[in-house]
Amino acid sequence: QVQLVESGGGLVQPGGSLRLSCVASGSILRIYVMRWYRQPPGKQRELVATITSTGNTNYADSVKGRFTISRDNAKKTGYLQLNDLKPEDTAIYYCNADVQQRVADRQYWGQGTQVTVSS
């Protein structure tokens, strides 16, 4: 079994910054792709950023230039740096990863961390 645990969320004023972390643990041979999703209040979950095992990244248009995704493969940890935050960034942020295990590859989700941007 694999667990993804996010942390780093909180309340921040517009223009502020946060750094989210996602730590993976359990029966992991390798983590392929790591992703961050978010779900704003009353809306559907949306993909925010993606990073491959070799460091290739991709971002939603709404966060390009403000958010940065990264990872530390040795620590099995992913990060999402959120800068210049706006009220519309308020959401629960979820970590997602494609994991290679002994038996089969599988996708896992974290429990989410709340980010609230408000003055």
Side-chain angles (χ1 to χ4, degrees):
Q1 189 68 4
V2 172
Q3 294 80 40
L4 301 180
V5 179
E6 301 101 331
S7 62
L11 173 63
V12 63
Q13 293 185 343
S17 298
L18 286 172
R19 189 191 195 205
L20 307 183
S21 298
C22 172
V23 180
S25 63
S27 179
I28 300 170
L29 294 180
R30 181 184 176 190
I31 299 175
Y32 296 115
V33 180
M34 297 189 80
R35 307 173 187 87
W36 287 93
Y37 285 79
R38 67 184 181 186
Q39 186 164 15
K43 297 185 178 180
Q44 290 189 333
R45 193 173 297 189
E46 60 183 8
L47 179 62
V48 174
T50 300
I51 185 166
T52 68
S53 58
T54 55
N56 292 321
T57 60
N58 197 25
Y59 297 91
D61 288 342
S62 59
V63 306
K64 279 182 182 176
R66 300 188 299 121
F67 291 8
T68 302
I69 189 171
S70 62
R71 60 191 286 175
D72 184 328
N73 292 330
K75 295 182 178 179
K76 298 185 179 65
T77 301
Y79 305 96
L80 187 67
Q81 178 70 39
L82 291 65
N83 295 330
D84 189 23
L85 282 160
K86 304 175 181 181
E88 52 264 40
D89 294 318
T90 294
I92 300 174
Y93 283 72
Y94 297 92
C95 177
N96 169 279
D98 296 337
V99 178
Q100 180 187 17
Q101 299 181 271
R102 291 187 188 278
V103 177
D105 298 349
R106 185 179 167 184
Q107 189 175 93
Y108 289 91
W109 289 88
Q111 82 290 348
T113 184
Q114 176 71 48
V115 172
T116 303
V117 185
S118 175
S119 55

